[in-house]
């Protein structure tokens, strides 16, 4: 299969590109390297020493004999080049990771809010419009998020995979309808993903595009079998207050002895998946495409759920590092339960990596190994959801 991996230089995209290449697919990465530029803007670097994209691709060729292509292209800004690329390459599928993906970054300023919506919504629309204009039957696999559903909307009922059956009252009695699950985004970033959903629904209905939207939970871990072959292939590991996600942040904080930064009571329950399972899920989605004329196929890409304070307690027990309950910079429910349907990937053959197996390996192989690269002034989350929610400096150690 010929596959374009949009956003293939990023945390999820790079290991997915290697995984698909290893399986024998003809892979090309399309990326504008904006994530590396945001590191410069935030004056922070991946905890792991990631190499430039050209070196990554050269090393992969040396070790595997397989060539991965690279096109430096902005999906939101360079529509014509993207359409020409589709016509020239004639891919069987695109895997779309190419968006601004951090909730705190999306809330840090008006500029960041506008950038996140412009970049993500325009980029996704350009991908879909470009496929229609090319006249080719190109499958789309998009990385969406569990956060489109919001937290606690449907009480204790499991969150379904994308769609909800509802009863609509009419004068002639109730009729049943299947609707896209109502969205309840908790940040401008999550809002951009809910807007993506409508674009997919429209292009499926109007143009019969074949689209799978993966509603992924928080990805943890760093390495896959391919990225760990050579240090020059190492995957990105974000730990800073804007881009670091909760479990990877706690792993790094535990390694350097920094109090674990629990927001509020830590009663927030979230869904998680290891990066090794992310790449496998994308493979399964590519291998099990919807047919033309089908509605958007939505799969919940999660393997376990945890409460933030339970994760902190687990790492505190493992490493002896204390837990700090900081004022929550976000507007979110202080406590929520989360029950997620995730049958489809298990039925397709996913054999998940659970926290109980992967956690110590992460602490040892990544967090402890690269702890000297950490900049402790970048740990506390400083982006706030509304003015006035800033954490007082004396509550921060760094
Ligand atoms: P990332 O920021 O590491 O990677 C995104 C990549 O896309 C970067 O390399 C960036 O340069 C590129 N990109 C962004 N805008 C672009 C544009 N306009 N044109 C071309 N390239 C562009 O993020 P990630 O963690 O790898 O996430 C990938 C996708 O998975 C995102 O869409 C994200 O919403 C989704 N996701 C991530 C997580 C997670 O925990 N990391 C969880 C759920 C869903
Ligand atoms: N949190 C802490 N302490 C921290 C960091 C986070 O308590 O140091 C809390 C947050 O307040 C939040 C929860 O942990 O309640 C999760 O935060 P996160 O930053 O790990 O995850 P989130 O902002 O939701 O975003 C991440 C990815 C995003 C993806 C999403 C999946 O950045 O791309 O879409 O996870 S999901 O959460 O399922 O929507």
């Amino acid at each position: 299969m010929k596959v374009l991996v949009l956003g293939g230089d990023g945390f999820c995209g790079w290991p997915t590109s290697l995984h698909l290449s290893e399986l024998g697919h003809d892979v090309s990465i399309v990326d504008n390297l904006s994530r590396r530029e945001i590191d410069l803007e935030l004056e922070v670097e991946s905890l792991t020493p990631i190499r430039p994209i050209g070196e990554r691709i050269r090393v992969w060729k040396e070790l595997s004999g397989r060539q991965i292509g690279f096109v430096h292209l902005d999906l939101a800004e360079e529509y014509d080049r993207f359409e020409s690329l589709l016509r020239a390459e004639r891919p069987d599928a695109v895997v779309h990771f190419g968006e601004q993906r951090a909730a705190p970054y999306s809330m840090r300023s008006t500029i960041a809010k506008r950038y996140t919506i412009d970049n993500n919504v325009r980029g996704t629309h350009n991908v879909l419009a470009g496929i229609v204009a090319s006249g080719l039957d190109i499958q789309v696999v998009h990385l969406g998020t569990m956060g489109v559903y919001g937290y606690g909307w449907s009480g204790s009922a499991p969150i379904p995979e994308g769609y909800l059956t509802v009863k609509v009252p009419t004068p002639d009695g109730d009729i049943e309808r299947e609707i896209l699950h109502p969205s309840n985004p908790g940040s401008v970033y999550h809002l951009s993903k809910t807007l993506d959903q409508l674009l997919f629904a429209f292009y499926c209905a109007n143009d019969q595009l074949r689209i799978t939207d993966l509603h992924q939970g928080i990805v943890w871990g760093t390495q896959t079998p391919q990225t760990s072959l050579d240090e020059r292939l190492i995957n990105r590991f974000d730990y800073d207050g804007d881009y670091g996600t909760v479990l990877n942040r706690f792993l790094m904080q535990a390694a350097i002895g920094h109090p674990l930064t629990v927001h509020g009571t830590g009663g927030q329950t979230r869904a998680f998946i290891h990066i090794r399972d992310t790449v496998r899920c994308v493979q399964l989605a590519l291998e099990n495409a919807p047919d033309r004329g089908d509605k958007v196929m939505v799969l919940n890409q999660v393997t376990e759920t945890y409460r933030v304070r339970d994760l902190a307690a687990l790492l505190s027990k493992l490493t002896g590092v204390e837990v700090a309950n900081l004022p929550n910079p976000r507007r979110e429910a202080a406590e929520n339960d989360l029950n997620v349907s995730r049958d489809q990937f298990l039925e397709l053959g996913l054999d998940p990596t659970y926290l109980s197996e992967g956690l110590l390996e992460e602490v040892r192989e990544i967090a402890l190994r690269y702890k000297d690269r950490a900049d402790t002034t970048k740990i506390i989350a400083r982006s706030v959801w509304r003015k006035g929610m800033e954490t007082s400096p004396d509550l921060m150690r760094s």
Side-chain angles (χ1 to χ4, degrees):
M1 216 180 196
K2 193 166 201 172
V3 187
L4 296 185
V5 181
L6 316 178
D9 184 48
F11 168 61
C12 298
W14 174 240
T16 301
S17 301
L18 295 184
H19 178 70
L20 296 177
S21 174
E22 169 104 346
L23 291 174
H25 297 297
D26 178 358
V27 175
S28 285
I29 289 172
V30 177
D31 200 302
N32 66 347
L33 307 183
S34 51
R35 181 66 193 87
R36 291 178 186 255
E37 280 167 31
I38 292 175
D39 271 349
L40 298 177
E41 174 197 338
L42 299 176
E43 300 184 353
V44 68
E45 282 182 69
S46 161
L47 187 72
T48 49
I50 54 170
R51 300 298 175 102
I53 183 69
E55 185 177 355
R56 282 177 151 186
I57 288 172
R58 264 197 313 280
V59 173
W60 177 244
K61 175 87 199 295
E62 258 170 56
L63 295 178
S64 70
R66 299 179 193 281
Q67 184 69 51
I68 291 181
F70 173 64
V71 182
H72 188 293
L73 185 151
D74 188 322
L75 294 165
E77 301 282 345
E78 296 180 280
Y79 172 78
D80 291 340
R81 279 190 65 213
F82 181 69
E83 191 191 310
S84 304
L85 181 72
L86 292 180
R87 290 180 191 279
E89 291 292 322
R90 306 178 67 80
D92 301 294
V94 299
V95 182
H96 180 22
F97 294 100
E99 300 184 71
Q100 191 301 98
R101 73 106 178 115
Y105 182 84
S106 78
M107 300 301 291
R108 77 194 304 261
S109 65
T110 307
I111 293 174
K113 288 177 188 173
R114 294 181 59 231
Y115 166 70
T116 301
I117 293 290
D118 290 350
N119 185 63
N120 294 2
V121 180
R122 285 177 69 192
T124 299
H125 187 254
N126 284 347
V127 170
L128 300 171
I131 291 174
V132 173
S134 75
L136 299 164
D137 178 22
I138 302 172
Q139 179 192 354
V140 179
V141 174
H142 171 254
L143 275 290
T145 173
M146 278 302 295
V148 297
Y149 302 116
Y151 296 99
W153 185 86
S154 53
S156 56
I159 293 180
E161 304 206 62
Y163 299 93
L164 200 62
T165 305
V166 295
K167 283 203 168 74
V168 185
T170 75
D172 306 322
D174 291 352
I175 50 170
E176 271 201 359
R177 286 283 179 271
E178 193 180 52
I179 58 165
L180 205 53
H181 189 286
S183 52
N184 184 16
S187 72
V188 166
Y189 155 71
H190 288 100
L191 173 63
S192 75
K193 294 288 191 177
T194 69
L195 297 170
D196 281 351
Q197 285 200 111
L198 291 179
L199 301 179
F200 297 137
F202 176 79
Y203 277 93
C204 259
N206 195 64
D207 299 284
Q208 306 205 309
L209 293 195
R210 294 181 297 127
I211 303 177
T212 304
D213 199 6
L214 303 174
H215 286 190
Q216 185 170 234
I218 302 170
V219 182
W220 70 282
T222 318
Q223 299 278 63
T224 60
Q226 291 77 38
T227 62
S228 44
L229 281 176
D230 187 298
E231 200 190 31
R232 293 168 297 170
L233 297 177
I234 201 164
N235 198 17
R236 162 182 281 285
F237 183 115
D238 295 314
Y239 67 89
D240 62 288
D242 273 342
Y243 270 88
T245 51
V246 64
L247 180 51
N248 277 6
R249 274 165 64 71
F250 287 176
L251 286 165
M252 171 272 179
Q253 292 164 5
I256 64 166
H258 189 287
L260 304 175
T261 55
V262 171
H263 293 164
T265 61
Q268 309 91 319
T269 309
R270 294 292 182 269
F272 292 85
I273 182 166
H274 193 280
I275 186 70
R276 284 199 285 264
D277 293 337
T278 292
V279 306
R280 177 103 170 92
C281 285
V282 172
Q283 174 199 339
L284 290 170
L286 283 169
E287 288 168 357
N288 293 278
D291 291 325
R292 271 183 95 84
D294 285 355
K295 64 184 182 192
V296 181
M297 181 188 274
V298 179
L299 303 175
N300 289 344
Q301 189 163 311
V302 309
T303 55
E304 341 178 50
T305 59
Y306 279 94
R307 231 174 251 284
V308 167
R309 63 169 167 260
D310 294 338
L311 290 177
L314 189 67
L315 276 156
S316 178
K317 195 167 158 214
L318 274 177
T319 61
V321 170
E322 67 184 283
V323 174
N325 285 94
L326 299 175
N328 195 342
R330 307 185 185 200
R331 260 171 70 77
E332 60 185 359
E335 308 268 330
N336 71 285
D337 293 319
L338 185 58
N339 183 358
V340 186
S341 304
R342 56 198 124 175
D343 300 335
Q344 295 187 79
F345 270 126
L346 296 175
E347 280 162 19
L348 291 175
L350 182 71
D351 174 19
T353 299
Y354 293 110
L355 219 67
S356 50
E357 307 155 45
L359 211 56
L360 274 174
E361 171 197 328
E362 279 299 321
V363 175
R364 242 188 346 256
E365 300 292 324
I366 299 294
L368 280 171
R369 183 146 171 222
Y370 295 107
K371 70 182 170 59
D372 294 339
R373 288 174 50 86
D375 175 350
T376 55
T377 66
K378 300 295 181 188
I379 293 177
I380 300 291
R382 288 168 211 272
S383 295
V384 291
W385 263 230
R386 278 193 322 200
K387 278 206 172 95
M389 295 174 84
E390 292 81 3
T391 302
S392 130
D394 42 313
L395 282 170
M396 304 177 186
R397 212 180 77 142
S398 44

